Amino acid sequence: MKIVESTADIRERLKSHRGVSKIALAPTMGCLHEGHLSLIRKAREVADIIIVSIYVNPMQFGPNEDLDAYPHTFNADAAACEAEGVDYLFHPENLYAKGGPKVTLAVSELADCLCGKSRPGHFDGVATVVNILFNIIQPDVAVFGEKDWQQLSIIRRIVSDLHMPIEIAGAPTVRESDGLAMSSRNRYLESDERNVSKELRASLQAICDAYKDGETQASPLIASGRDWLEKHGIKPEYLEIREAANLASIDQLGGADARAFVAAKVGNARLIDNIALEPL
Ligand code: AMP
């Protein structure tokens, strides 16, 4: 595995692979865990040359968010990538123009709900950095996790709206044994908080179970999830059911694929999760 820090260098190295091998990119912010490694394994299934990028993107953090506290574990990350057979680890120091970018991507509608409501500008930051990474790497396929479903939906839409010749692959959420979705931010949790954080997933599972038992109206399903969270002392930032593909609001389930989405602050960690509510 080659660790590459400059844009010119990675471009040069990828030249020999273009048109010969299928190139996959898995963008990350580092502090890698099994969820990230699953993206690498997915990339390996569909491509020949695997690039992992590690870049903590300042543009996707709000002024009062955890940019400065965000964990950096580069040596362990590099060892994990090497063990997974990654070909190139792209680790740029900065991806933006001097003085900050003057051209950015703006995401409308899909970014106005769920996490976008409490994180204004977050998805513009994600979209802009992903666009930059796509322009540098020009992958055939890029892999993103379903844990960040809204992000995955937005990236699919960027690729489609901007006619990018890139296939987007989604990878299922990897979880701890008690159901908590793995996240770099889980390390902010104190032990009692870690214990209660599994209830996010449990609340989504309660919704899914009630749906499978025949409840197809969104509001009673959401109410049952809210009750679950309240019972465990969690006040959600949001708990919503939306269409899976376009994140549109939905009242009656059973037609289009839907998903339930939750976000909550547990201690210092802002946690998110989602679950599929597919037609039965
Ligand atoms: P991050 O480093 O948090 O920006 O995440 C980088 C990529 O890993 C994104 O595509 C995430 O959706 C994905 N990811 C993070 N956690 C998980 C998980 N538990 N399971 C699957 N993918 C994940």
Side-chain angles (χ1 to χ4, degrees), residues 53-170:
S53 62
I54 295 185
Y55 181 64
V56 180
N57 171 31
M59 196 184 155
Q60 71 188 69
F61 287 78
N64 298 315
E65 293 186 355
D66 57 344
L67 175 61
D68 293 337
Y70 202 83
H72 292 258
T73 57
F74 183 74
N75 291 342
D77 293 349
C81 286
E82 173 104 59
E84 289 296 329
V86 168
D87 298 284
Y88 298 98
L89 178 53
F90 182 48
H91 185 229
E93 198 181 311
N94 175 35
L95 286 176
Y96 292 104
K98 264 200 188 130
K102 301 289 180 272
V103 180
T104 58
L105 285 191
V107 184
S108 60
E109 235 170 275
L110 281 175
D112 294 341
C113 60
L114 302 173
C115 290
K117 265 194 165 166
S118 65
R119 305 189 73 190
H122 168 69
F123 288 112
D124 291 354
V126 170
T128 301
V129 82
V130 166
N131 188 31
I132 291 171
L133 286 166
F134 283 179
N135 285 333
I136 295 170
I137 306 294
Q138 297 179 24
D140 297 293
V141 50
V143 190
F144 294 86
E146 291 182 354
K147 191 199 70 125
D148 301 280
W149 186 273
Q150 186 174 15
Q151 170 176 282
L152 176 59
S153 310
I154 287 171
I155 287 161
R156 287 191 195 285
R157 194 60 203 248
I158 293 170
V159 164
S160 138
D161 281 15
L162 302 182
H163 299 271
M164 294 178 172
I166 300 173
E167 181 192 326
I168 302 300

Side-chain angles (χ1 to χ4, degrees), residues 123-266:
F123 288 112
D124 291 354
V126 170
T128 301
V129 82
V130 166
N131 188 31
I132 291 171
L133 286 166
F134 283 179
N135 285 333
I136 295 170
I137 306 294
Q138 297 179 24
D140 297 293
V141 50
V143 190
F144 294 86
E146 291 182 354
K147 191 199 70 125
D148 301 280
W149 186 273
Q150 186 174 15
Q151 170 176 282
L152 176 59
S153 310
I154 287 171
I155 287 161
R156 287 191 195 285
R157 194 60 203 248
I158 293 170
V159 164
S160 138
D161 281 15
L162 302 182
H163 299 271
M164 294 178 172
I166 300 173
E167 181 192 326
I168 302 300
T173 303
V174 177
R175 300 177 178 282
E176 303 288 354
S177 55
D178 65 0
L180 174 65
M182 288 191 182
S183 164
S184 308
R185 290 188 167 100
N186 290 353
R187 58 173 63 202
Y188 299 155
L189 296 165
E190 305 286 347
S191 73
D192 51 332
E193 296 163 354
R194 169 65 191 82
N195 193 37
V196 87
S197 58
K198 65 176 182 292
E199 304 304 342
L200 257 73
R201 163 68 173 185
S203 71
L204 295 177
Q205 195 58 58
I207 290 176
C208 190
D209 291 347
Y211 170 61
K212 285 183 176 157
D213 284 347
E215 179 58 72
T216 57
Q217 291 286 324
S219 25
L221 288 170
I222 291 166
S224 67
R226 277 191 181 277
D227 287 350
W228 186 285
L229 290 172
E230 203 170 296
K231 209 168 63 192
H232 292 94
I234 299 176
K235 205 169 160 308
E237 179 188 303
Y238 62 73
L239 178 63
E240 293 184 39
I241 295 175
R242 288 179 174 265
E243 281 189 34
N246 57 15
L247 307 182
S249 299
I250 185 170
D251 296 325
Q252 177 68 48
L253 280 77
D257 279 356
R259 283 186 103 86
F261 299 87
V262 68
K265 198 98 194 277
V266 179

